[in-house]
Amino acid sequence: DVILVSPLFRAQKTIFPVLEERGQTAEIWPELEECCWQFRWRRRVKDVKWGAAIEQLDADYFQLRDNARQEYDPANFAEGVFLLQRAATLLKERYGKSDQSLLLVMHQYSGSCLMEILLGLPPKRRFELENAKLSKLEQNDDGSFRLVLLNDEPCQR
């Protein structure tokens, strides 16, 4: 129902053929930025500075969430986790307990950490996400999440 995508051009390019074929649009979320490749906590973070301007591949197929015009520029793992915690909060506020299905097009380390945050686990990049494979979380009636699919493979419930 809803497609959310990282602001990085290569993520937009990955999903573009699907959008074009289906006549859908994707919403660019700066918080889905590639991050968390550094694996060291540095400090507690209150905010992350803005980085480069977001380039849209095609305005007919991509829109900026809340007119955000810039990517974030996380300098370390803690800042990356901060962004993903913000993304998790926004996801729950906007789509939690709804009937809508979401497709997030993002990156290996940030995707793994976001999944962990939604599952209530400390973000440690424990999921080895593979390119162009689906992983799926489902929300339980109590608002918690469970992992259903990891890299196109069913997970035990």
Side-chain angles (χ1 to χ4, degrees):
D1 298 315
V2 177
I3 299 173
L4 309 177
V5 65
S6 161
L8 295 188
F9 187 76
R10 69 180 185 270
Q12 293 177 44
K13 196 171 178 181
T14 297
I15 195 62
F16 180 74
V18 174
L19 299 174
E20 191 174 40
E21 179 181 309
R22 295 182 179 179
Q24 280 185 276
T25 58
E27 191 171 61
I28 298 171
W29 278 34
E31 293 83 3
L32 301 183
E33 168 75 84
E34 182 174 37
C35 62
C36 298
W37 61 91
Q38 324 91 326
F39 195 58
R40 293 194 339 214
W41 290 91
R42 295 242 173 126
R43 58 179 158 63
R44 192 166 181 86
V45 179
K46 293 184 179 172
D47 206 355
V48 180
K49 66 182 179 179
W50 289 101
I54 294 174
E55 293 181 46
Q56 286 178 249
L57 181 65
D58 186 322
D60 291 333
Y61 296 100
F62 295 94
Q63 61 185 4
L64 299 168
R65 192 202 72 232
D66 302 329
N67 293 317
R69 299 261 172 234
Q70 290 181 293
E71 300 172 12
Y72 283 108
D73 187 19
N76 56 55
F77 184 76
E79 289 185 3
V81 168
F82 176 80
L83 288 179
L84 297 172
Q85 288 169 332
R86 182 182 292 175
T89 298
L90 287 170
L91 287 169
K92 290 175 191 175
E93 286 173 358
R94 291 181 181 214
Y95 304 106
K97 297 185 180 181
S98 76
D99 291 339
Q100 294 181 304
S101 62
L102 307 177
L103 175 64
L104 278 63
V105 181
M106 47 191 306
H107 311 278
Q108 181 185 26
Y109 294 141
S110 54
S112 178
C113 288
L114 181 58
M115 287 172 59
E116 291 167 318
I117 291 167
L118 291 170
L119 290 167
L121 301 170
K124 295 183 177 181
R125 300 185 337 207
R126 63 180 52 83
F127 300 112
E128 291 291 326
L129 302 180
E130 296 180 28
N131 286 337
K133 296 218 174 165
L134 289 177
S135 295
K136 179 180 178 181
L137 298 179
E138 286 183 354
Q139 191 172 31
N140 299 313
D141 290 338
D142 66 2
S144 65
F145 289 84
R146 67 182 176 279
L147 184 61
V148 177
L149 198 66
L150 183 63
N151 297 319
D152 291 332
E153 296 292 326
C155 297
Q156 293 182 356
R157 295 185 183 235

